[in-house]
Amino acid sequence: MHRFHGAWRITVTLRDADFEQRAVVRGRYGTRVLPGTPGATLLVDEEDWTLSLEHLPTARTWQPDLRTTLGPLTRRGGRVSRLVTGNDCHQAGKPLDYVNFAVLLESLDQPRPATTPAITPAAAPLTRPVPARTPHTSPAPAGAPAPVRTSSDGHPLPAIPRQRPATGPHF
């Protein structure tokens, strides 16, 4: 199961399997199933959702594919896409990375226009290290109890108990 965010179009691009295949999307608004027919499409527009590839073995229930692989993100015409491939079972004589089901995900989120120029090292703002600050204390008048720690706006903070130095073994 793989997690995605935002609006995507899912299109079945390959089905070369003995078993039925499908892509299952689970999100806040429920579960949607995309049949494993090449060309079938499903639009998903949710903040957070998952995708799993499944197969239907003979006389059984739907099972997750044994191996699902996310391809790299690619950019075509300003849109981001990713191929997700699956293998429903391992068969003798076939390589472990054999693919028998694949879907293409295409982002439907609008690409952001480049309205601000890229920051070059010469134009980057310079910062300097800031030394660590010590806790603020209010001044104590003569004969008054120990100073009280205050926040930067003057409100008192909880007192920190002072530890007494060890003077030797205590029994």
Side-chain angles (χ1 to χ4, degrees), residues 1-2 19 21 53-55 57 60 63-69 85-91 96 98 100:
M1 188 172 345
H2 301 284
F19 304 125
Q21 306 286 320
L53 303 182
E54 298 180 352
H55 63 283
R60 296 193 56 200
Q63 304 290 314
D65 279 6
L66 293 178
R67 176 166 290 139
T68 303
T69 306
T85 60
N87 182 359
D88 55 14
C89 63
H90 298 299
Q91 296 177 354
L96 292 177
Y98 178 76
N100 60 9

Side-chain angles (χ1 to χ4, degrees), residues 2-108:
H2 301 284
R3 187 170 302 279
F4 294 91
H5 306 279
W8 293 78
R9 176 185 308 124
I10 307 170
T11 305
V12 176
T13 59
L14 170 76
R15 181 182 172 268
D16 183 21
D18 295 331
F19 304 125
E20 284 191 55
Q21 306 286 320
R22 70 182 187 179
V24 179
V25 172
R26 290 178 178 86
R28 173 180 241 168
Y29 302 112
T31 300
R32 281 151 292 169
V33 176
L34 176 63
T37 306
T41 300
L42 176 67
L43 300 178
V44 180
D45 188 3
E46 291 196 35
E47 188 172 319
D48 187 38
W49 52 278
T50 60
L51 172 71
S52 59
L53 303 182
E54 298 180 352
H55 63 283
L56 183 61
T58 308
R60 296 193 56 200
T61 59
W62 286 98
Q63 304 290 314
D65 279 6
L66 293 178
R67 176 166 290 139
T68 303
T69 306
L70 290 176
L73 287 173
T74 59
R75 186 175 296 275
R76 283 189 230 160
R79 296 259 185 227
V80 174
S81 63
R82 168 173 266 169
L83 190 66
V84 180
T85 60
N87 182 359
D88 55 14
C89 63
H90 298 299
Q91 296 177 354
K94 290 193 177 178
L96 292 177
D97 61 351
Y98 178 76
V99 173
N100 60 9
F101 187 55
V103 295
L104 178 66
L105 279 75
E106 297 172 285
S107 175
L108 299 178

Side-chain angles (χ1 to χ4, degrees), residues 150-166:
T150 59
S151 66
S152 60
D153 62 0
H155 289 89
L157 295 174
I160 299 175
R162 296 184 189 253
Q163 293 183 344
R164 295 185 180 174

